Amino acid sequence: MSALVLDEREGSREALSVRVVVGDGWAVLGRHLRKVRRAPAIIVMTQTMPIVFLLFFGYVFGSALAMPGAEYRAYLVPGLLVATAAGGIMTGMFQAAQDAHRGVADRFRTLPMTRSAVPLGQALADLVTSAIGMVPMVLVGLAMGWRIEGTALEALGAFGLLLLFRFATTWVGILLGLASQSEEAAGQLGSATFMLPLLSNAYIPTENMAGRLRTVAEWNPISTVTTAVRELVGDVAVPADTAWPVAHPVAGALLWSLGLIAVFAPLAVRRYARG
C-alpha cells in the first residue's frame, strides 16, 4: 500500500513538473513573439533573403547547369527550404547570445521558473515564426514552376520534417550562442553557417562531386533532409552508390533531427542553468 502511495506521489510530482515547464515555456514563448512583433525587420530579412536566393539561383545559375531552367527550379525549391530551416543555427545563436550578454538571461534566472523553460520558449518561438515565414517562399516556388506531386499526407510529412529540422538546428544555435564570448562573435560565427548548404545537395546534385567532398556532402544532414523533402513532394531518383542517410532519406532525416535535439537540447539547458 505504501509503495502504491509513493508511486502516486512520484507520478503527481512528474506531472506537476511537466505542467510547470510547459507553463513557463509558454510565457517565454510569448515574450519572444512580442519581441519579434516589435522588431519585424529581423523576420523580413531572414525570410526575404531565401526568396532572393531562390530567384537568383533559379534564373541565373539554372541556365548554366545541365538541368533545364524549370527542372532546376523544381529541384532548387526544396533545397532552399531546408537551407532556410538550417538557418535556425544562426537565429538561435544570435538571440541566445543577445539575451546572455545583455543581462536578460540573468534576470530570467532570478525568477521562480524552471531553467529549461527559457531555451525551450526561444526554440518554440523560432519554430512558430519559421512556420509562418515558410508560406511566402512556398508561394514564390509555386509561381516559379515548382509543384507538389505527392499526396497531401506526404506533403504534410515533408513540411513536418522541415519544421522538426528547424527545431533541431535552433537548439544547436542556442547552445553556441550561450557559449559565445560576445554578440559580435556569435554574429560572425552565425554568418559562417551559410557555408553548410553549399556542402550539400541543396543547390546542386552530389553525384559529380569529387570522392571525399561527395562523402562529406552526403553525410551532411542538410542533404538528407533535402532528399527526404524532394522524395515526399515528388519523384526523385537516388543514386544506388550514395551514403546511407541519403539512400534512406526519411528515416535519415528523422534520425538526424531527433539526434540533434537529444544531444544539444540538454546541453543548452545545462549551459543556460550554469550561467
Side-chain angles (χ1 to χ4, degrees), residues 120-133:
L120 176 63
Q122 178 187 334
L124 291 175
D126 182 87
L127 187 65
V128 172
T129 55
S130 298
I132 297 171

Side-chain angles (χ1 to χ4, degrees), residues 206-209 211 214-215 218-219 237-248:
T206 59
E207 292 89 271
N208 296 325
M209 292 183 178
R214 179 181 177 181
T215 300
E218 290 181 348
W219 280 94
V238 178
D241 60 340
T242 193
W244 186 93
V246 178
H248 306 83

Side-chain angles (χ1 to χ4, degrees), residues 18-145:
V18 171
R19 287 198 297 270
V20 169
V21 171
V22 171
D24 291 347
W26 186 262
V28 178
L29 166 65
R31 179 253 177 186
H32 278 282
L33 292 179
R34 288 190 296 272
K35 181 180 176 182
V36 168
R37 187 177 61 185
R38 297 190 190 101
I42 298 175
I43 296 299
V44 171
M45 183 183 67
T46 56
Q47 299 305 325
T48 300
M49 289 307 297
I51 294 175
V52 172
F53 285 153
L54 178 59
L55 295 171
F56 183 77
F57 280 95
Y59 288 102
V60 178
F61 285 177
S63 60
L65 296 175
M67 296 180 181
E71 183 181 346
Y72 177 67
R73 290 192 289 273
Y75 178 89
L76 179 64
V77 173
L80 270 171
L81 285 170
V82 178
T84 304
I89 298 177
M90 182 173 63
T91 57
M93 192 185 311
F94 179 75
Q95 292 177 1
Q98 189 178 62
D99 285 350
H101 296 292
R102 295 187 182 184
V104 177
D106 291 334
R107 289 197 293 270
F108 273 129
R109 292 189 189 96
T110 64
L111 298 176
M113 60 192 308
T114 57
R115 293 291 184 256
S116 58
V118 174
L120 176 63
Q122 178 187 334
L124 291 175
D126 182 87
L127 187 65
V128 172
T129 55
S130 298
I132 297 171
M134 196 183 296
V135 175
M137 188 168 179
V138 169
L139 294 177
V140 172
L142 292 172
M144 292 175 62

Side-chain angles (χ1 to χ4, degrees), residues 173-192:
I174 291 173
L175 175 62
L176 294 176
L178 292 172
S180 65
Q181 298 299 317
S182 65
E183 286 186 55
E184 292 75 15
Q188 292 171 0
L189 181 59
S191 300

